[in-house]
Every structure is written in C-alpha cells, then in structure tokens.
C-alpha cells in the first residue's frame, strides 16, 4: 500500500501524466488525431499552405493594398525624421504630393488585385473552408503580386509589345515554319507559361496548345483575364505597374503612368488549355505520331529548375520521337545551394545531347539556328536602368 501511495505522489507519475494531458488537450483543439501526428512529424496536411498555393496567392492579392500602405507609412515616417528645413525643401520639390500619388496608385492597383482575390474564392471555395486546425492568417508576398502586375504589362498590353516581339519572335518563327495544314494535328506545351501570352499566340497559329504553370500567383492573374465575368473587353483594366519603385525614374509622371490591359481578350477553347500543376507531374498526351508533344517551348524556364537534369529528361520524355524542344532564356539559377546543379550553357547543351537530343548549331541557316538573343524581362521602358540578358536560343530534336 505504501508503494502505491509513494507512486501516486511521485515525480514519475507527474512526468507521465503531463504529456498525456497535453495530448488530450491537443486532440480537443485539433479535432483529429491524424492532424496531431502531422504536426508532430512535420507531414504536409491539406491545411498546409504551400508557397505557390491558391491560399497564399489569394492572401497576397487580398493583402496587396494593406502591405503597400504599410510601406508607404514607413516612407512617410522617414520623411518626417528629416529636419524642418529639409522637409520644407522636400515639400517645395513636390515630394509630399508624390507620396500622395503613390497612395492613389495603390488604390488603382488594388481594384485589380482585390478582384483577383475575389475570383479565387469563387473558383476555389474548397480551399478556404475551415480545416479543424487553429487558423492563422497567411502572410502575403507583395513582391510576387507586383511581379504579376508587371507580367500583365509584358504579356497583355500595348506597352509590352516590343519586349514580346524580341523574346516571342524567334520561337513563333519556328512554329510558323510548320504548314498551316499540319498545325491542326500538332500539340504544343509551354511550361512555366506565366500569364500565358506565348501559349495563347501558339494556339492562334492553329496548334493544340497547353499552357502549364505551377504558381497560383500567375494562375489566378491569368484566370482573371480568362474570366468572362471579370474581363469582357480589350483595355478594360488599368494599372500603374511601376509606382512601387522610386529608383531610376526620370519623372513622377513616368512613375505613375497608367497602362491599360489586355490588348486582346484570351479565352480557353479546343485549341487552348491550361494545366495548373508541376511540370514534372505532366504525362505525354496520347495520339498519333507515337504520342507525346510535337513542340515543348521553354521561355525563361529551365533555370527555375531545382534539378535541371530531371527537367531536361522530362522534356525528352514528354516529346514524341522527332519532336522539338525550343528554348530561349538565361541561366539564372536559384542560389543559396537550393538548385541541385547550376550548369553553364556548355554543360546544358551537353546534357541535352546526353539525354537524347540533337541540338541545332550556330552555323545553321533558318529559324532553328542556335544563337544569342539580347532581351529584357518585364522591363520598364522609360526607366534609367535596364537589365539585359544574353538569352540562349536553340532548337533540340528528340532523336528516334
């Protein structure tokens, strides 16, 4: 009897009971034993929010105005820390009016970003249902939203026409070399399609085209254009895409200029499909010519791979025998050791040959000639600074 009393009052019993009490409490909160195990072992559950997921992208679009105004508040606070004399000079220069214009610009852009967030909740209601777990607010990424805004300009405005002609031109030239009669039976895949303009252009040539994109920052913005409810006519929407970055601007008017979009209205159809998934999860389409795609077009894409070898192998796998891989872009690998391999251009071309491609040469004639294309990426054409890429263009044929 004494031993039992000692056990009841001992530290050993307390040490056993406390974890048990915590377990019961956790089950009460989480509502599902599986959820608790997922939390303990770090497994991904339905409630986990991926970086490029619908939930995070929607939260980012919804929070665009709030996060941008927070930055504006910091800018105003910095201005107020100056001496009275310097604040007076700033006032005479019109800087306070410039900050007021930024606030108006945020509101202009928010009309689009909030509409995108609203559309996401309409089209993915299941992603926003309570999961039984403690709900925490998803913190938005305003920089990704601003990137998408610039893609509206690059892909779907008159202002982006010159950049599109430079980077789309060599690719479309290869596709146009196919006779119109043959195009109707050919399949084109554009992975990492962003806001989908290049893929849409391929579909307009008569190819059965699939636009593929993993990031819902891009997919939601593209859905906004594809939606008959939200985008009915050309130049319906207005953005001030460059207002968030005061650096390298020649004038305040250039900084806050309006850009109307879209210059044409895209729609999905028999010739144009959207695959919102990881490129590596795609499978070859069935059909004639042994199955597979006739063309895979990668524009500013292969250097987004965390494993470029796997990506090139998968391109090869998805193509039919004799199918062509058309590429244009730089090699801006994800840094910090995140990319498994960071290859030079020479190594990428050797990899393509090792996998089973015959790569076009620099001394060839015609549209498929391997060459360097000097290009920009979502550039501000009026700014005092330009990023110029020496993009590598090639066509690689899958050898039988």
């Amino acid at each position: 009897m004494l031993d039992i009393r000692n056990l009841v009052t001992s530290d050993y019993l307390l040490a056993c009971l406390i974890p048990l009490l915590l377990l019961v409490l956790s089950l009460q909160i989480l509502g599902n034993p599986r959820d608790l195990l997922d939390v303990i072992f770090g497994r991904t559950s339905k409630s986990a929010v991926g970086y490029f997921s619908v939930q995070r992208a929607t939260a980012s679009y919804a929070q665009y105005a709030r996060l941008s105004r927070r930055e504006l508040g910091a800018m105003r606070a910095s201005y107020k820390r100056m001496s009275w004399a310097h604040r007076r000079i700033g006032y005479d220069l019109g800087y306070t009016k410039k900050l007021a214009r930024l606030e108006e610009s945020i509101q202009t852009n928010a009309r689009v970003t909030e509409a995108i967030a609203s559309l996401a909740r309409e089209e993915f209601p299941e992603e926003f249902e309570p999961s039984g777990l403690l709900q925490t607010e998803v913190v938005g990424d305003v920089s990704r939203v601003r990137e998408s805004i610039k893609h509206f300009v690059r892909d779907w405005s008159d202002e982006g026409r010159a950049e599109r002609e430079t980077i789309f031109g060599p690719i479309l030239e290869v596709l146009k070399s196919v006779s119109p009669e043959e195009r109707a039976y050919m399949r084109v895949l554009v992975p990492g399609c962003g806001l989908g303009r290049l893929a849409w252009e391929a579909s307009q040539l008569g190819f059965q085209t699939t636009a593929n994109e993993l990031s819902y920052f891009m997919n939601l913005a593209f859905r906004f254009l594809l939606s008959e409810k939200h985008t009915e006519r050309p130049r319906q929407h207005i953005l001030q895409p460059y207002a968030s970055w005061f650096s390298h601007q020649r004038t305040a008017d250039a900084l806050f200029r309006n850009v109307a979009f879209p210059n044409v209205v895209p729609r999905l159809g028999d010739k144009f499909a959207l695959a919102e998934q990881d490129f590596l999860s795609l499978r070859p389409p069935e059909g004639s010519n042994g199955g597979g795609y006739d063309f895979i077009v990668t524009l500013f894409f292969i250097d987004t791979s965390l494993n470029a070898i796997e990506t090139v192998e998968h391109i090869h796998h998805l193509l039919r025998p004799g199918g062509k891989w058309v590429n244009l872009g730089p090699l801006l690998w994800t840094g910090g050791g995140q990319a498994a391999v960071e290859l030079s251009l020479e190594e990428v071309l050797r990899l393509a040959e090792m996998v089973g491609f015959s790569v076009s040469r620099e001394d060839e004639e015609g549209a498929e000639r391997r060459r360097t294309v000097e290009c920009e990426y979502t550039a501000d054409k009026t700014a005092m600074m330009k990023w110029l890429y020496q993009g590598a263009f090639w066509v690689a044929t899958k050898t039988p």
Side-chain angles (χ1 to χ4, degrees):
M1 229 19 214
L2 185 62
D3 291 340
I4 293 175
R5 281 198 300 271
N6 289 339
L7 178 63
V8 169
T9 58
S10 72
D11 292 339
Y12 294 108
L13 181 63
L14 288 174
C16 294
L17 283 175
I18 288 173
L20 183 62
L21 287 170
L22 288 174
L23 175 64
V24 171
L25 243 156
S26 300
L27 290 176
Q28 288 293 320
I29 294 171
L30 294 171
N32 187 334
R34 275 196 211 157
D35 293 331
L36 180 61
L37 292 174
D38 287 340
V39 171
I40 293 171
F41 294 108
R43 292 197 293 257
T44 301
S45 66
K46 183 183 176 183
S47 63
V49 177
Y51 186 80
F52 295 109
S53 66
V54 173
Q55 298 98 319
R56 185 172 297 280
T58 302
S60 299
Y61 282 109
Q63 295 171 26
Y64 163 81
R66 176 164 60 85
L67 295 176
S68 296
R69 289 191 183 106
R70 183 187 297 172
E71 290 182 357
L72 174 59
M75 294 169 75
R76 283 175 165 154
S78 294
Y79 177 78
K80 289 178 180 177
R81 285 195 292 270
M82 294 195 300
S83 66
W84 180 90
H86 287 173
R87 291 201 305 273
R88 178 66 197 188
I89 292 173
Y91 178 83
D92 291 340
L93 288 171
Y95 194 75
T96 54
K97 291 182 180 178
K98 187 175 176 179
L99 294 179
R101 289 183 72 178
L102 175 57
E103 187 164 14
E104 293 171 0
S105 177
I106 292 168
Q107 186 55 43
T108 296
N109 293 340
R111 293 189 189 100
V112 173
T113 61
E114 288 168 6
I116 293 172
S118 175
L119 175 65
R121 294 189 186 98
E122 292 171 12
E123 297 193 342
F124 297 95
E126 70 282 357
E127 299 294 343
F128 302 96
E129 294 174 356
S131 64
L133 287 168
L134 288 174
Q135 297 296 306
T136 57
E137 182 184 24
V138 177
V139 178
D141 186 338
V142 72
S143 64
R144 290 284 181 181
V145 174
R146 290 170 180 162
E147 180 186 8
S148 299
I149 286 173
K150 290 180 181 178
H151 273 266
F152 278 130
V153 179
R154 199 280 301 273
D155 276 20
W156 297 101
S157 78
D158 291 331
E159 180 157 326
R161 188 185 307 278
E163 186 174 324
R164 288 197 302 274
E165 289 175 350
T166 300
I167 59 176
F168 292 1
I171 295 168
L172 295 177
E173 189 180 356
V174 173
L175 297 180
K176 288 175 182 177
S177 66
V178 179
S179 70
E181 295 76 21
E182 292 180 287
R183 296 174 196 173
Y185 304 100
M186 288 188 163
R187 295 184 176 93
V188 175
L189 173 67
V190 184
C193 68
L195 293 193
R197 181 61 183 260
L198 177 58
W200 181 83
E201 294 282 359
S203 73
Q204 295 301 292
L205 293 176
F207 294 95
Q208 298 178 41
T209 307
T210 300
N212 166 235
E213 178 60 57
L214 167 69
S215 171
Y216 274 92
F217 289 93
M218 295 294 178
N219 287 331
L220 295 181
F222 193 24
R223 280 172 172 258
F224 176 72
L225 294 176
L226 295 169
S227 168
E228 294 182 1
K229 174 181 175 181
H230 289 274
T231 303
E232 301 174 3
R233 62 187 184 277
R235 298 172 184 82
Q236 178 178 346
H237 308 295
I238 298 293
L239 287 169
Q240 293 184 357
Y242 307 108
S244 61
W245 199 35
F246 282 16
S247 300
H248 308 299
Q249 296 295 336
R250 297 182 186 277
T251 67
D253 287 341
L255 177 66
F256 297 114
R257 69 188 186 275
N258 288 338
V259 176
F261 74 99
N263 61 340
V264 293
V265 178
R267 292 287 185 260
L268 299 178
D270 294 339
K271 294 290 185 182
F272 190 39
L274 179 61
E276 296 169 313
Q277 62 192 93
D278 183 359
F279 167 67
L280 295 174
S281 71
L282 293 174
R283 295 294 175 260
E286 298 178 357
S288 59
N289 298 325
Y293 291 97
D294 298 275
F295 291 92
I296 294 180
V297 174
T298 53
L299 176 66
F300 285 84
F301 175 71
I302 57 171
D303 52 358
T304 66
S305 309
L306 296 183
N307 183 343
I309 297 172
E310 185 178 25
T311 297
V312 174
E313 284 181 337
H314 198 57
I315 291 171
H316 185 271
H317 173 65
L318 292 175
L319 284 167
R320 66 166 177 82
K324 295 179 183 294
W325 168 27
V326 186
N327 177 80
L328 174 59
L331 294 176
L332 181 60
W333 303 108
T334 304
Q338 294 184 61
V341 288
E342 300 179 35
L343 305 178
S344 67
L345 175 59
E346 179 185 32
E347 289 166 336
V348 171
L349 296 174
R350 284 177 56 201
L351 168 63
E353 292 176 346
M354 291 169 67
V355 166
F357 284 108
S358 173
V359 184
S360 59
R361 302 188 310 275
E362 292 179 330
D363 59 357
E364 288 184 18
E365 294 184 359
E368 297 188 5
R369 180 175 62 87
R370 179 157 58 90
R371 57 194 182 273
T372 297
V373 178
E374 189 171 82
C375 52
E376 297 176 274
Y377 186 80
T378 63
D380 178 355
K381 69 178 185 180
T382 70
M384 299 166 62
M385 183 201 73
K386 293 185 182 296
W387 287 99
L388 287 176
Y389 293 98
Q390 303 296 311
F393 175 80
W394 69 76
V395 178
T397 303
K398 179 176 178 177
T399 54

